[in-house]
Amino acid sequence: MKKIRKYYYTAVLFLLAGLTPLAAQQIIAVKTKNNALVLQVNSAKEVNTIYFGEKLANDTDYDKIAGQYHQGNDYTGIYNSVYTPSGSKNLLEPAITVTHADGNTSLDLHYVAHKTTQAGEGVSQTEITLKDPVYPVEVHVFITAYFENDIIEQWTTIKHAEKGMVTLNKYASANLYLKGNNNFWLNHYHGEWAKEMQPEEARLTHGIKVLDSKLGTRANLFMPSVFMVSLEKPATEDEGKVLFAGLEWSGNFRTDLEVDPFNNLRIISGINNAAADYKLAKNETFTTPKFWYTLSNKGKGFASRNLHDWARNYKILDGKGQRVTLLNNWEATYFDFDETKLKGLIADSKNLGVDLFLLDDGWFGNTYPRNDDTAALGDWDVSKKKLPNGIGTLVKTAIDNKVGFGIWIEPEMVSPSSNLYKNHPDWVIKQPERPEHYFRNQLVLDLSNPKVQDFVFGVVDQLFTENPELAYIKWDCNAVIYNAYSKNLKANQSNLYTDYVTGLYKVLERIRTKYPKVPMMLCSGGGGRVDYAALKYFTEFWPSDNTDPLERVFLQWEYSYFYPALTLSAHVTDWGKQPIKYRTDVAMMGKLGFDIVVKHLSEGDLAFCQQAIKNYSALGSTIWQGTQYRLQSPWGNDAASVMYVNKNGNEGVMFNYSVNNRYDSGTHNPIKLKGLEAGKNYQVEEINVYPGKKTSVTTAVFSGDFLMQVGINPNVNTTNTSVVLKITRV
Ligand code: GLA
């Protein structure tokens, strides 16, 4: 009787707090438009994942799932834990490992309560409270579901009330569990400078495959956190079950993909715990970064399109907005410029027809002039020698030329040859007793230090205060963290990798509070840093210093799985041997820019570029906000083809690129379009035709049915290497 009364009172208390009290074998179902993630609280109060897949028609069916599996003995009962603790009965890879204040290393997590609330239109948030029955440690698992786009974000908060510090030895964001009979195909990426986003696909075998980064700052140089897992067999563009996922974190990450003894897949992702035990004080809350994922039952294209829509709606700064075209001077001048030269380039920007001129590296440093990459990072004073009249005169010239003015900075870094380094040695990340190691001749500032955060914020703030009309920032980050050691963190050294990133976010948050809209490019010595936490502050990112357009077809193709076109900065440069048309056509499938000497362009090339920029501006909203279809892969085909259709469905653009130079290569067959309405008619017209050249596709009207069933031949081959087709509903 007493027991019943106790349960009753507890239940009333929970209900008053909006929480659901425990019932035996309780089901917690998180649903999106097509999928359901179903958790179950077992009789030992553990929360396990029992289903992640297509939504079932009847909710009551979820109860019957577990009974259909006869996979063997789970000695722990938690192979499928929603957040696997360690040190007690767990035998597999944990999501969380802690060392308590008294030195004990065990943890159990038991269900206390859960609640689901609306977090916006079509967005629900489920919060599950877990507690250790022995130690005062509390974990909250958050699951945010974006219904329309089938996207889920998952993360946790960790808190304790122990006397002293608790050390978090591992503190993942999410712990997924997929049933699959040992048939999982992992597609992941590796890279290096100028070779970012190289895909590799392999079937996962038993044991753990780890994707990770330990570079600290430009964490994605060797590997980004994004990946795909196909279930049953490798998914194609339009067929197959595939999970896309990534971590919203701009530092070290780690994703464990473990095929367990039952042949199921456990995915545990979060901040990399390597050299990163986190010391957590009593009653402080540690919030892990969000891990996003989406499951598609219709192949990779569907996953991408959901992801792009979600990213533009919720994640990317000004994701629903416009983007600017620009002329950058990096490859045109490198460090060798002065005011006269730059004013000439500003005039060239106008002549070319772009929206903005972007001044790159080399404009600062007096005691230690920035004439190459060995000096001056940290000394953000305008070079008196190169620019005696300051930045202001350039901004004014730009305005007079009716173009915007943007500027490059690399504010997280310091050159040993700089006043900053000499005056604030304690602001630099380096081991006091070891020789310094440099990456591109520079070191990283300690962003865990609030004074350094103020300094980095000040770099941007001062630029805007002095030049309120500044219209664009390119934020670079060229060095990794060697010799990780912070003067600021004293005894908590292993907090550095994490506190660096949260310090960076604090700075970016301050910048965005004061300057909410100014477009900023996230650059990292090429594509060393991009994720959906950073893109909250940036309008676009630099995918690679490799701008060879043939390489770019492949790179941009791979990035496009995870990031929409408006975020992918793509510049026409002198890399590669292809004609200007090919280079421009390739850059147009992303966010178009130029980094060339306009004066070196022939009359025809210039006229072509001017027209292409006009075409791009006219089609901008379709490329930036439209729905993307990857029609034909550059891998294994002579030509690649990508298409965008605007949300009204009345305008599209199809980009076609030759990627094979061998005899007789080209589009021998038509390429089928997608995303049109079968019953409507569309005019197909070639644009970006080089002056004086004949079109290779004659303007004509086709039904949507024809274009999608038969397709159109863009007539791309070894001499006609790229063709852009505009599709207009008539
Ligand atoms: C990095 C960037 C380049 C350029 C240089 C300047 O390498 O990726 O685009 O800005 O720095 O030093």
Side-chain angles (χ1 to χ4, degrees):
M1 184 65 191
K2 240 184 177 174
K3 248 190 183 164
I4 294 174
R5 203 180 300 148
K6 194 173 160 211
Y7 175 78
Y8 174 78
Y9 285 131
T10 319
V12 169
L13 280 177
F14 276 125
L15 287 175
L16 287 175
L19 302 168
T20 313
L22 173 71
Q25 302 290 311
Q26 185 170 340
I27 296 282
I28 303 168
V30 176
K31 292 180 206 159
T32 59
K33 192 173 185 178
N34 294 294
N35 301 320
L37 168 67
V38 185
L39 313 176
Q40 188 175 47
V41 187
N42 67 18
S43 52
K45 294 196 193 172
E46 289 142 350
V47 187
N48 293 331
T49 305
I50 56 163
Y51 184 76
F52 182 40
E54 264 176 286
K55 233 169 14 186
L56 301 182
N58 300 318
D59 273 359
T60 49
D61 284 350
Y62 295 122
D63 285 331
K64 302 171 195 155
I65 291 173
Q68 296 306 313
Y69 289 91
H70 306 287
Q71 293 185 312
N73 237 344
D74 178 345
Y75 303 105
T76 67
I78 55 167
Y79 286 179
N80 56 340
S81 170
V82 75
Y83 200 62
T84 317
S86 64
S88 52
K89 63 176 176 174
N90 171 45
L91 299 171
L92 303 178
E93 184 60 31
I96 179 167
T97 303
V98 306
T99 306
H100 297 282
D102 66 2
N104 188 289
T105 54
S106 67
L107 185 72
D108 262 334
L109 290 174
H110 287 180
Y111 174 93
V112 176
H114 79 277
K115 62 177 175 185
T116 298
T117 49
Q118 276 311 108
E121 216 192 304
V123 187
S124 72
Q125 185 169 296
T126 301
E127 177 181 352
I128 305 162
T129 307
L130 306 169
K131 270 190 183 157
D132 188 319
V134 178
Y135 283 88
V137 173
E138 188 172 312
V139 170
H140 293 247
V141 173
F142 291 89
I143 306 172
T144 299
Y146 298 81
F147 189 86
E148 216 30 60
N149 302 127
D150 285 326
I151 306 276
I152 296 184
E153 284 183 305
Q154 211 170 309
W155 74 100
T156 59
T157 57
I158 307 162
K159 200 175 159 180
H160 72 89
E162 297 184 18
K163 291 193 191 78
M165 291 277 188
V166 166
T167 305
L168 308 179
N169 307 105
K170 190 171 184 189
Y171 38 98
S173 297
N175 186 166
L176 308 192
Y177 179 78
L178 293 160
K179 291 278 184 196
N181 208 17
N182 189 22
N183 221 339
F184 303 98
W185 296 80
L186 172 66
N187 185 95
H188 62 98
Y189 295 86
H190 68 101
E192 234 289 31
W193 179 78
K195 289 192 277 190
E196 294 85 347
M197 285 304 270
Q198 309 290 322
E200 273 174 319
E201 186 166 59
R203 185 174 169 172
L204 285 167
T205 53
H206 287 86
I208 304 178
K209 167 82 183 176
V210 178
L211 307 178
D212 85 332
S213 165
K214 301 186 186 78
L215 305 183
T217 42
R218 47 189 303 191
N220 306 145
L221 179 63
F222 299 155
M223 183 168 275
S225 75
V226 291
F227 66 92
M228 306 170 189
V229 174
S230 295
L231 313 179
E232 292 159 25
K233 58 178 184 220
T236 62
E237 199 57 29
D238 293 309
E239 280 174 354
K241 289 195 201 326
V242 60
L243 176 89
F244 279 29
L247 191 68
E248 299 175 33
W249 183 246
S250 312
N252 295 348
F253 66 87
R254 164 175 167 178
T255 301
D256 306 297
L257 297 115
E258 178 175 29
V259 179
D260 75 7
F262 286 174
N263 304 325
N264 302 312
L265 179 62
R266 309 173 71 245
I267 301 176
I268 297 170
S269 185
I271 293 175
N272 198 337
N273 57 338
D277 281 350
Y278 202 89
K279 297 270 191 299
L280 191 64
K282 182 179 178 178
N283 292 331
E284 228 180 78
T285 301
F286 186 91
T287 305
T288 61
K290 291 172 177 160
F291 178 68
W292 65 260
Y293 55 96
T294 182
L295 184 67
S296 159
N297 299 305
K298 287 179 241 158
K300 297 175 182 176
F302 185 70
S304 281
R305 287 186 284 278
N306 270 330
L307 193 55
H308 292 177
D309 283 342
W310 168 77
R312 283 182 295 225
N313 279 331
Y314 302 103
K315 291 285 136 178
I316 300 159
L317 188 96
D318 203 16
K320 304 295 278 178
Q322 310 258 314
R323 292 296 182 267
V324 288
T325 54
L326 57 82
L327 177 69
N328 188 192
N329 72 312
W330 174 239
E331 292 188 22
T333 66
Y334 293 105
F335 296 95
D336 180 21
F337 57 77
D338 58 18
E339 187 180 303
T340 315
K341 209 180 211 178
L342 293 182
K343 285 188 170 166
L345 296 181
I346 292 171
D348 288 345
S349 309
K350 183 190 180 189
N351 185 21
L352 191 61
V354 291
D355 301 316
L356 184 131
F357 172 72
L358 169 61
L359 171 58
D360 215 283
D361 196 355
W363 57 267
F364 51 93
N366 287 299
T367 326
Y368 305 92
R370 181 80 172 165
N371 292 328
D372 54 36
D373 63 12
T374 60
L377 291 173
D379 295 352
W380 299 101
D381 46 326
V382 184
S383 162
K384 294 202 177 88
K385 195 153 172 237
K386 290 184 195 173
L387 303 171
N389 300 307
I391 298 293
T393 181
L394 299 174
V395 179
K396 187 174 175 305
T397 307
I399 291 168
D400 292 345
N401 279 278
K402 298 200 168 47
V403 290
F405 184 86
I407 201 160
W408 177 98
I409 48 172
E410 197 182 356
E412 297 160 74
M413 302 288 152
V414 60
S415 308
S417 297
S418 69
N419 290 320
L420 183 74
Y421 179 88
K422 307 279 179 291
N423 297 337
H424 295 283
D426 53 325
W427 285 9
V428 179
I429 295 179
K430 54 176 185 165
Q431 291 281 356
E433 306 300 336
R434 293 191 189 277
E436 291 177 1
H437 289 295
Y438 306 121
F439 198 104
R440 207 195 187 203
N441 312 304
Q442 64 201 50
L443 292 161
V444 179
L445 291 173
D446 178 8
L447 271 171
S448 79
N449 183 341
K451 287 195 192 123
V452 176
Q453 293 168 19
D454 289 345
F455 170 79
V456 175
F457 170 75
V459 172
V460 178
D461 195 34
Q462 192 178 336
L463 276 170
F464 279 116
T465 310
E466 289 173 3
N467 310 285
E469 274 133 338
L470 203 62
Y472 188 93
I473 299 266
K474 174 176 175 183
W475 179 300
D476 212 338
C477 165
N478 280 297
V480 301
I481 295 179
Y482 287 123
N483 276 338
Y485 181 89
S486 157
K487 270 254 154 76
N488 169 57
L489 289 173
K490 302 189 179 83
N492 296 338
Q493 284 305 316
S494 55
N495 287 15
L496 177 59
Y497 284 119
T498 301
D499 287 356
Y500 182 91
V501 180
T502 45
L504 172 67
Y505 293 157
K506 279 184 196 154
V507 172
L508 290 167
E509 202 63 52
R510 279 170 75 184
I511 292 172
R512 282 317 185 183
T513 305
K514 197 158 173 192
Y515 310 103
K517 278 262 166 177
V518 184
M520 288 214 293
M521 182 209 284
L522 173 61
C523 177
S524 185
R529 185 194 257 174
V530 60
D531 61 83
Y532 279 122
L535 284 176
K536 186 176 159 199
Y537 309 103
F538 293 88
T539 45
E540 57 225 62
F541 70 96
W542 186 235
S544 177
D545 278 346
N546 189 340
T547 47
D548 176 320
L550 180 59
E551 296 297 328
R552 276 288 179 138
V553 172
F554 290 83
L555 262 164
Q556 291 170 195
W557 177 274
E558 294 303 327
Y559 272 115
S560 83
Y561 285 113
F562 305 99
Y563 300 99
L566 86 167
T567 61
L568 268 116
S569 295
H571 293 181
V572 177
T573 72
D574 288 332
W575 281 55
K577 303 181 195 75
Q578 295 81 358
I580 194 92
K581 170 169 164 57
Y582 188 88
R583 288 182 269 152
T584 310
D585 288 354
V586 171
M588 274 176 63
M589 74 175 265
K591 209 228 77 174
L592 178 67
F594 289 79
D595 196 342
I596 47 170
V597 183
V598 177
K599 291 217 160 57
H600 291 174
L601 293 176
S602 69
E603 209 178 302
D605 284 3
L606 178 62
F608 170 80
C609 291
Q610 288 166 330
Q611 185 55 46
I613 293 164
K614 285 192 187 126
N615 292 341
Y616 183 76
S617 300
L619 284 164
S621 57
T622 296
I623 297 168
W624 304 325
Q625 301 300 337
T627 306
Q628 186 180 32
Y629 296 90
R630 285 176 296 266
L631 304 178
Q632 184 166 291
S633 171
W635 304 98
N637 290 302
D638 286 351
S641 183
V642 171
M643 179 182 175
Y644 303 87
V645 182
N646 73 358
K647 295 286 179 196
N648 297 329
N650 59 9
E651 183 179 87
V653 57
M654 179 193 189
F655 294 100
N656 305 280
Y657 313 109
S658 158
V659 292
N660 187 355
N661 206 19
R662 295 187 67 183
Y663 173 75
D664 197 35
S665 76
T667 49
H668 296 290
N669 298 318
I671 296 171
K672 289 178 187 160
L673 277 65
K674 289 176 189 166
L676 305 176
E677 286 177 77
K680 296 273 161 65
N681 288 324
Y682 299 86
Q683 176 178 289
V684 177
E685 171 197 6
E686 183 173 359
I687 57 167
N688 279 15
V689 180
Y690 194 85
K693 281 264 167 74
K694 282 223 301 262
T695 57
S696 50
V697 176
T698 318
T699 303
V701 172
F702 301 90
S703 69
D705 181 42
F706 180 89
L707 291 172
M708 294 192 292
Q709 296 296 338
V710 178
I712 192 142
N713 197 322
N715 297 324
V716 163
N717 53 45
T718 50
T719 50
N720 189 41
T721 52
S722 63
V723 169
V724 182
L725 299 175
K726 186 178 168 194
I727 323 287
T728 316
R729 195 169 63 200
V730 291

